[in-house]
Amino acid sequence: MSEKNKGIFYIILAALCFSLMSLFVRLSGDIPSMQKSFFRNLVALIFSLFILWKEKIPFHAGKGNTIYLILRAAFGTLGLFCNFYAIDHLALSDANMLNKLSPFFAIIFSYFLLKEKVAPYQLICVITAFIGTLFILRPGFGNLVTFPALIGLLGGLGAGIAYTMVRVLSGQGVKGPFIVFFFSAFSCIVTLPFFIFNYTPMKPWQLGFLLLAGLAASGGQFSITAAYSHAPAKEISVYDYTQIIFSSLWGILFLGELPNWMSVTGYVIIFGASLTMFLKRQKEAQKREN
């Protein structure tokens, strides 16, 4: 199997894991998002600690990187809270598609924070993606879906900033497992007071689903790290959108959800913008190689 095909395999595996995480979070029932986040990150924290110990990765990020770790953790935690809220209040596929706007937010914040140039086609794709978002948000007076959808959009924004910080940290040589560990530990510390003082009693099956969500999320995080270690984002990132297919399937099979035509139109527009950007990057890479 070529390195690119390995990357594609791992990114589709990550998409499957993250879609299962969303399903398990929803199936865990009426529990505060903070409590769900605590268990999701607790499992990821244990996994990342094991990887750090096994691979003998040092527990430090290097000089000048702490601020980027904190920003990655803070905005990643915000994105996670918003994503879990959206999962509980929207169709599973809607919530996941709004979270998949993070690459477009990453382009915007890379321009402002990293001073990276934005090509005209990237700007057009970003604008097109946000037009697609309007079909999912369905803004209008008296529309109950709007507020949860806006929270889901905020989750995508938080994830976009977090991924921008991951790019900075990776460029500085910070190891992926340490970034996952710092983020998981930060999120657990932030949610711990809510967990202690606003704890909602859980039945064994609810705890089971939350632990499964944590396992699925850990599998997703390490799979996506493996994917980008085998192939660059410009070659495989578009396959990450298979998560929407998986989420739609779980929604139909387990939750009785069927996306309406406006949501599907939004999915097609956003995916089309992502596919255009993907193909354009590949074309530019081929020109450079020639």
Side-chain angles (χ1 to χ4, degrees):
M1 188 183 291
S2 68
E3 287 297 294
K4 180 180 177 180
N5 286 339
K6 287 179 183 177
I8 292 171
F9 169 77
Y10 278 117
I11 203 165
I12 293 176
L13 179 61
L16 173 63
C17 288
F18 284 128
S19 71
L20 286 171
M21 180 204 75
S22 299
L23 175 64
F24 294 143
V25 166
R26 172 70 75 81
L27 292 177
S28 65
D30 190 18
I31 301 170
S33 296
M34 293 285 190
Q35 191 164 322
K36 292 181 178 182
S37 300
F38 177 81
F39 280 98
R40 179 254 190 248
N41 285 302
L42 183 63
V43 176
L45 178 63
I46 294 169
F47 265 84
S48 57
L49 274 171
F50 175 75
I51 297 296
L52 288 171
W53 170 76
K54 184 180 179 182
E55 298 186 4
K56 296 180 172 60
I57 297 172
F59 283 76
H60 65 83
K63 188 176 180 180
N65 290 327
T66 303
I67 183 62
Y68 298 117
L69 274 172
I70 293 172
L71 288 172
R72 184 269 178 269
F75 283 102
T77 300
L78 172 66
L80 186 66
F81 291 163
C82 293
N83 183 227
F84 278 19
Y85 181 88
I87 287 169
D88 283 337
H89 295 84
L90 294 174
L92 213 57
S93 52
D94 280 10
N96 280 284
M97 180 53 89
L98 289 170
N99 197 249
K100 288 301 170 192
L101 288 169
S102 55
F104 298 101
F105 282 118
I107 290 172
I108 295 170
F109 289 108
S110 293
Y111 172 78
F112 287 107
L113 300 177
L114 306 182
K115 308 302 179 185
E116 293 183 351
K117 291 183 178 179
V118 177
Y121 79 88
Q122 288 179 311
L123 182 61
I124 292 170
C125 287
V126 168
I127 293 170
T128 303
F130 283 107
I131 291 172
T133 304
L134 293 176
F135 283 87
I136 302 174
L137 292 176
R138 296 189 284 279
F141 296 107
N143 195 333
L144 296 178
V145 78
T146 300
F147 179 72
L150 286 173
I151 295 297
L153 182 62
L154 182 61
L157 185 148
I161 299 176
Y163 292 149
T164 304
M165 295 301 106
V166 169
R167 288 185 59 194
V168 174
L169 291 164
S170 299
Q172 298 288 353
V174 182
K175 299 295 184 181
F178 182 74
I179 298 174
V180 173
F181 162 76
F182 191 93
F183 162 61
S184 301
F186 180 95
S187 295
C188 283
I189 292 169
V190 169
T191 53
L192 186 59
F194 295 93
F195 177 75
I196 294 172
F197 297 109
N198 195 32
Y199 176 76
T200 298
M202 296 182 294
K203 296 176 181 177
W205 63 266
Q206 290 179 304
L207 177 60
F209 276 127
L210 288 182
L211 292 176
L212 285 173
L215 285 171
S218 299
Q221 284 184 319
F222 287 106
S223 294
I224 206 161
T225 300
Y228 289 127
S229 70
H230 287 290
K234 66 178 180 288
E235 293 185 2
I236 63 173
S237 59
V238 72
Y239 296 97
D240 194 26
Y241 282 84
T242 54
Q243 183 177 338
I244 309 306
I245 299 172
F246 292 130
S247 295
S248 298
L249 181 62
W250 307 147
I252 294 168
L253 291 177
F254 298 104
L255 304 173
E257 296 176 348
L258 200 62
N260 63 32
W261 71 268
M262 290 192 74
S263 287
V264 173
T265 301
Y267 302 164
V268 171
I269 293 172
I270 294 169
F271 177 74
S274 180
L275 180 62
T276 300
M277 200 156 56
F278 171 76
L279 294 174
K280 185 69 176 176
R281 282 175 177 167
Q282 276 201 322
K283 192 174 180 180
E284 288 179 346
Q286 288 173 352
K287 282 183 180 179
R288 285 194 295 268
E289 289 173 1
N290 295 331

